[in-house]
Amino acid sequence: MTERDPNRLPTNVVPSHYDLDLVPDLDAATFAGTAAITVVVTETVEELVLHALDLDIHEAWFESGGNRLDVTTTLHADSETATLALSGPAEPGAWVLHARFTGVLNDKLVGFYRSTFAGDDGVTHAIACTQFESTHARRAFPCWDEPAFKATYAISLVVADGLFAVSNAAETEVDHLDDGLRRVHFAPTMHMSTYLVAFIVGPLEASDPVDVDGVPLRVIAPPGRADLMPFALDVGAFSLRFLADWYGIAYPGDKLDLIAIPDFAFGAMENLGCVTFRETALLLDQDHATQAEQQRVADVIAHEIAHMWFGDLVTMGWWNGIWLNEAFATFMEMLTVDAYRPDWKRWVDFGLARSAAFDTDSLSTTRPIEYEVISAADAEGMFDVLTYEKGASVVRMLQQYLGEARFQAGIRRYLETHAYANTETTDLWDAIEAATGEPVRSLMDSWIFRPGHPVIGIARTHAADGAAAIEITQRRFGFAPDPRSGVQAASDDPRTVPVVLRVGHAEGTSLHKVLLAEESATVILEHEPDWIVGNHEGNGFYRVELTDGDLTAVGTHALTDLSPLERYGLVEDEWALVLAGRGSIARVLGLLRSLAADDDVSVWQRIAGVLAAIHRAAADDAQRDELAVWVRALVGPAFRALGDAPTEGESERTTALRAALFDTLARIGHDTEQKARAAAHFEALGSDPEATDPDLADAVVRVVAASADQATWDELRRRAGAARTPQDRMRFQGALADAEDPSLVMQFCPLVLTDEVRTQDGLFLLRRALANRHATPQVWAFIIEHWDALTTRFPSSTVPRLFEGVRGIGDPALAAEVVAFLEAHPLKQGGMVIPQHLERMWVTVALAQRVPAELAAALA
């Protein structure tokens, strides 16, 4: 007999429907519940094995028709399961498992948990809410908590009068009970996985529903937020219509609620019909929000609604496929928001997110997009930049290579074929292959199941007959860490790379597509090239390495002949080559000079990121002052060309560009005039929020925070406490970690262990403080001293994210101290991401050794 995988439930009992009745007690932070779970027994059994964690199962029985079997329950905390021993054999057929249970509304932001908020009256109110992905439904009710065990759910909630109750499906009826209680019933859901179940109870308010082609759409939030809901309703209605049309399938739920939760570990969660969000990702004052803040809210809403089909209707069979859910939803969020606001140029701006994926994927400790997931806990490692941004980039690369119409036809085929079912990644490639006739599976396997990405070398040559040609080569790209890290450079065999070149010549431009499967190939041209773009529109997930001559040539033509995405890619690739030990600061600064008159905010944001990294790695403050002179000469003319304030009819991206240039001038360019302007704006904004535009106001806060004295820091803290919108609260609270005075940063750190900083935000803000080079040693000492308190207070899944802050450490002694601490205090949830953070830290150490001499020579 084959031994059962201890990480998977047996399949001899399969659920088909859950009747759940939950009774949360918000004051006592407990809940009680009953479950009647209809199952199919496929072979005679004498026990059932299902999931249950942090539950007390007080009574259970198993019945079919008139046959009742008593149950003896044994809970197994290590495996998060319950064994239900039956009083007799259960023969194959339909049965119903009944259970009565209780549990605790925990404070860990998973399962059925308790969130709190302060009302306008200062009174603290509680909400009972859920977060079940990946494997936390078992904390709320006994269940078969694996994605392949799809079922329908009929949920009822017993709540006090005056409290709002919501779940996945529409409310159908209400029973009024004794003692001021009522039972709210919800319609049965579609066939779906346990991790998508949701129910929320609390003092909440809902917007009036918006009818979206027959689907009622609402935004739900704590009281007093009605004026922060219209933007989300507008984005939600557009996204719902756009996606139903794009997929060619009607929305699979009977209603759609978007719900703001005060304490929420993630950005949002795609529960069918009952999508939950952290407040900053849903509620927004459009008149006072930056373009980036509006875009983020639109992104997250579109992302979650995209999941209603891709993830909810069609679901991965096991957690190894979670990447496809998230990568495709990220791709669809870009597609949707680009359609919603074309002027935002969403695909151009995606370059910033893709840069973060490139950064991690350039390490030897990167991972394949999809990897074997043995236990459900292993799936937690998939919620990272490689899943979301690299995954979406690879999907975008495939879409652009196949063509948008053919790609869409393949997606529709996939969804129609597998609706209400579970799939593997290969099912998607097979559907697209069937729709297009292209070898999609073989192409994508080399990107999905292998880590890293290539650098494509570009060199001019001539064919044997003298025709102009380009030789392209590929090899795995990797950063160069300090030798003290012990990290060995990764190598790889060639993979199939869809390379698209764009070549400028005397007769115009020409495109050349090459499916590069070997180490090198030669592309024959009709004309001698004037300039070469190695990654047309930045669609390929690969780096490009140009010769010195070709970099100079393409830089000369960048502002006239290259798109913003292509210019962005030039900056991105040249800086990556520096980190790999192959490029030079001189090449980078030369390219930046050629882009000095660029008018795209995304390009300038990448330039600013490069300048900030150089600034950080400089030898000392004297060299930073020399760099600042160069930065002022580069950035000043572009800033002055835009003027001091927005003009009528100006695009939002232009307004954002002015703010980005202002920030760069003040903080990296050490521009005293702009710092003085920031101080004046900051004072004016204290009494008049209309004193300047939201984008510049956001930059003002960052500039003022950097040079804050005690009085200014106190004012930032006061504004954080008085903030009415979630964006303002995070703006001011985050700025407290940015002070150049370490003593001020150390006043902030203890706040993350108090109720002044929400649990959902604490580690992210502490990470920001750790990344502040002026206070890194002090913040690191704080983390060591308060390690037990930090790991107790915050959800274990979020603790590894704190260590992203060590990536900027350039001091080898401190780097070694970080490594030693983590070796002595290994994190259960950080098996993959912690080694990546540490390797990237050693890359920074190596960079700090090289930059001072190179920068001195380049500036001279």
Side-chain angles (χ1 to χ4, degrees):
M1 181 177 178
T2 304
E3 186 175 344
R4 182 177 69 85
D5 182 346
N7 296 297
R8 306 285 282 268
L9 294 178
T11 56
N12 51 10
V13 179
V14 179
S16 61
H17 177 75
Y18 292 74
D19 282 299
L20 299 175
D21 185 66
L22 283 302
V23 187
D25 185 332
L26 301 186
D27 294 329
T30 61
F31 65 92
T34 61
I37 309 172
T38 303
V39 302
V40 174
V41 177
T42 61
E43 60 184 49
T44 301
V45 296
E46 295 186 352
E47 68 176 23
L48 312 181
V49 182
L50 71 165
H51 288 111
L53 179 64
D54 298 335
L55 296 175
D56 291 318
I57 300 177
H58 301 285
E59 182 183 17
W61 68 96
F62 205 41
E63 67 177 9
S64 179
N67 183 16
R68 170 175 167 145
L69 300 176
D70 292 330
V71 168
T72 301
T73 301
T74 304
L75 297 172
H76 311 283
D78 289 347
S79 62
E80 303 181 359
T81 59
T83 299
L84 279 56
L86 306 177
S87 60
E91 301 297 330
W95 290 75
V96 177
L97 171 65
H98 296 270
R100 184 172 59 82
F101 53 91
T102 56
V104 173
L105 295 173
N106 69 73
D107 59 357
K108 297 299 184 183
L109 311 186
V110 294
F112 199 12
Y113 72 93
R114 188 171 180 266
S115 174
T116 61
F117 68 93
D120 292 339
D121 55 2
V123 175
T124 297
H125 302 275
I127 301 171
C129 46
T130 57
Q131 170 57 41
F132 290 161
E133 191 179 31
S134 299
T135 56
H136 302 296
R138 63 193 67 177
R139 296 175 185 266
F141 57 96
C143 58
W144 279 257
D145 199 12
E146 294 175 6
F149 288 112
K150 283 192 165 186
T152 54
Y153 302 81
I155 294 168
S156 58
L157 298 170
V158 176
V159 303
D161 288 338
L163 294 183
F164 192 96
V166 63
S167 186
N168 299 92
E171 181 180 315
T172 56
E173 62 177 314
V174 177
D175 302 328
H176 293 279
L177 311 175
D178 295 334
D179 299 324
L181 300 176
R182 70 189 197 282
R183 176 173 280 110
V184 182
H185 297 266
F186 301 93
T189 69
M190 74 172 187
H191 205 58
M192 66 185 195
S193 303
T194 48
Y195 78 90
L196 297 169
V197 175
F199 30 85
I200 295 126
V201 173
L204 302 168
E205 293 180 348
S207 69
D208 292 332
V210 173
D211 186 297
V212 185
D213 302 329
V215 178
L217 169 71
R218 298 184 298 180
V219 172
I220 299 170
R225 313 294 207 277
D227 62 320
L228 305 181
M229 296 178 178
F231 183 72
L233 285 168
D234 190 58
V235 175
F238 179 91
S239 299
L240 195 52
R241 287 193 179 95
F242 175 85
L243 289 162
D245 178 70
W246 197 93
Y247 289 130
I249 298 173
Y251 170 67
D254 60 2
K255 57 91 177 177
L256 180 57
D257 290 323
L258 311 178
I259 307 164
I261 306 294
D263 297 289
F264 198 75
F266 300 95
M269 177 62 210
E270 66 268 20
N271 315 301
L272 178 78
C274 187
V275 183
T276 44
F277 298 76
R278 66 169 52 202
E279 291 181 325
T280 53
L282 184 67
L283 304 177
L284 182 119
D285 178 355
Q286 195 171 3
D287 291 336
H288 297 97
T290 68
Q291 186 270 331
E293 289 164 349
Q294 295 180 57
Q295 183 172 290
R296 178 173 186 264
V297 169
D299 282 350
V300 179
I301 291 172
H303 181 105
E304 302 309 321
I305 296 177
H307 272 308
M308 300 297 107
W309 292 264
F310 213 102
D312 293 10
L313 180 65
V314 180
T315 312
M316 69 276 164
W318 181 243
W319 299 110
N320 62 298
I322 196 69
W323 81 267
L324 188 57
N325 274 13
E326 299 302 342
F328 194 83
T330 302
F331 167 83
M332 289 305 299
E333 104 190 24
M334 302 298 154
L335 202 69
T336 304
V337 175
D338 192 54
Y340 175 66
R341 288 294 301 271
D343 55 309
W344 284 351
K345 299 182 180 179
R346 192 62 192 88
W347 284 113
V348 176
D349 200 57
F350 181 56
L352 291 170
R354 199 172 72 148
S355 292
F358 267 133
D359 194 72
T360 293
D361 205 43
S362 300
L363 305 171
S364 66
T365 47
T366 186
R367 62 165 177 83
I369 293 176
E370 179 172 332
Y371 59 88
E372 183 181 17
V373 173
I374 298 173
S375 70
D378 295 339
E380 299 293 343
M382 274 201 170
F383 293 93
D384 66 2
V385 72
L386 297 173
T387 285
Y388 287 78
E389 278 75 24
K390 181 182 178 182
S393 298
V394 169
V395 171
R396 171 70 168 176
M397 179 171 67
L398 177 65
Q399 180 222 28
Q400 292 296 294
Y401 185 77
L402 296 174
E404 296 183 14
R406 294 204 300 165
F407 176 82
Q408 182 182 24
I411 298 301
R412 288 182 169 185
R413 184 186 184 101
Y414 169 78
L415 292 173
E416 290 164 1
T417 301
H418 301 287
Y420 306 104
N422 298 87
T423 62
E424 296 295 330
T425 296
T426 50
D427 292 323
L428 175 62
W429 308 146
D430 292 346
I432 300 175
E433 198 164 292
T436 64
E438 298 283 352
V440 174
R441 185 194 277 215
S442 62
L443 169 62
M444 296 306 290
D445 280 357
S446 69
W447 289 92
I448 302 306
F449 297 112
R450 289 168 58 182
H453 59 274
V455 56
I456 302 299
I458 306 289
R460 302 184 192 214
T461 187
H462 288 87
D465 62 0
I470 297 172
E471 183 181 19
I472 57 175
T473 59
Q474 67 158 303
R475 67 179 183 281
R476 180 163 170 179
F477 182 80
F479 290 156
D482 187 276
R484 284 166 285 198
S485 68
V487 173
Q488 300 297 315
S491 60
D492 204 355
D493 294 328
R495 70 180 75 204
T496 303
V497 187
V499 176
V500 183
L501 309 176
R502 192 160 68 88
V503 180
H505 45 74
E507 302 300 317
T509 60
S510 54
L511 284 181
H512 304 270
K513 288 187 175 184
V514 182
L515 204 56
L516 180 63
E518 305 299 330
E519 288 186 357
S520 64
T522 301
V523 180
I524 305 300
L525 307 177
E526 293 184 4
H527 308 280
E528 286 287 343
D530 292 331
W531 50 266
I532 304 166
V533 170
N535 189 358
H536 171 57
E537 291 296 345
N539 291 323
F541 195 79
Y542 55 83
R543 308 281 196 187
V544 174
E545 185 171 13
L546 299 171
T547 65
D548 288 347
D550 277 322
L551 179 63
T552 299
V554 79
T556 301
H557 289 266
L559 297 181
T560 54
D561 294 297
L562 272 62
S563 71
L565 263 174
E566 290 167 343
R567 301 195 300 271
Y568 183 101
L570 282 177
V571 179
E572 168 70 24
D573 289 344
E574 282 304 307
W575 180 243
L577 290 169
V578 170
L579 295 174
R582 299 181 59 86
S584 72
I585 298 296
R587 270 178 57 125
V588 168
L589 297 187
L591 173 62
L592 299 191
R593 287 191 196 96
S594 70
L595 297 173
D598 206 301
D599 61 357
D600 186 84
V601 62
S602 297
V603 176
W604 270 109
Q605 286 170 334
R606 192 66 194 102
I607 290 172
V610 168
L611 292 174
I614 297 172
H615 186 266
R616 185 182 188 110
D620 50 32
D621 287 343
Q623 190 173 51
R624 290 187 184 96
D625 287 340
E626 292 179 33
L627 175 63
V629 174
W630 191 92
V631 169
R632 293 197 296 273
L634 178 77
V635 180
F639 176 71
R640 288 189 290 273
L642 290 177
D644 290 341
T647 58
E648 188 173 351
E650 177 177 281
S651 74
E652 290 182 36
R653 282 177 65 84
T654 298
T655 305
L657 172 59
R658 179 183 294 101
L661 296 173
F662 172 81
D663 186 5
T664 304
L665 270 177
R667 290 203 292 161
I668 305 174
H670 303 176
D671 190 317
T672 54
E673 179 186 351
Q674 305 314 324
K675 288 184 178 183
R677 287 185 64 213
H681 280 307
F682 184 71
E683 182 176 358
L685 287 163
S687 57
D688 179 12
E690 311 287 342
T692 188
D693 66 271
D695 285 272
L696 188 59
D698 183 60
V700 161
V701 171
R702 291 194 299 273
V703 172
V704 166
S707 56
D709 56 15
Q710 184 68 59
T712 302
W713 193 89
D714 289 342
E715 176 62 13
L716 288 164
R717 185 179 179 185
R718 186 198 68 77
R719 293 189 191 184
R724 194 176 162 277
T725 71
Q727 289 79 17
D728 277 343
R729 175 175 56 81
M730 286 305 298
R731 185 183 344 278
F732 292 115
Q733 207 163 62
L736 298 175
D738 293 345
E740 295 176 1
D741 181 346
S743 68
L744 296 176
V745 179
M746 295 315 296
Q747 289 181 47
F748 169 73
C749 288
L751 299 182
V752 306
L753 294 171
T754 71
D755 291 339
E756 184 171 338
V757 175
R758 304 202 74 92
T759 304
Q760 65 177 9
D761 302 323
L763 289 183
F764 297 100
L765 293 172
L766 191 58
R767 178 183 71 188
R768 184 162 166 175
L770 182 59
N772 180 346
R773 70 175 178 85
H774 299 278
T776 297
Q778 294 91 336
V779 177
W780 176 247
F782 174 88
I783 291 170
I784 293 174
E785 181 182 354
H786 297 87
W787 182 246
D788 290 343
L790 291 168
T791 53
T792 299
R793 180 176 177 83
F794 298 103
S796 60
S797 61
T798 65
V799 175
R801 301 180 189 185
L802 167 64
F803 289 93
E804 188 175 342
V806 307
R807 289 179 168 228
I809 291 175
D811 175 10
L814 183 56
E817 185 179 331
V818 171
V819 170
F821 179 82
L822 286 170
E823 287 176 349
H825 301 81
L827 291 172
K828 178 182 176 182
Q829 302 279 8
M832 289 192 177
V833 71
I834 292 297
Q836 292 165 3
H837 292 331
L838 295 181
E839 183 183 350
R840 185 61 179 83
M841 175 182 69
W842 285 112
V843 171
T844 304
V845 171
L847 182 71
Q849 310 303 309
R850 299 195 308 268
V851 163
E854 284 196 34
L855 180 58
L859 293 177

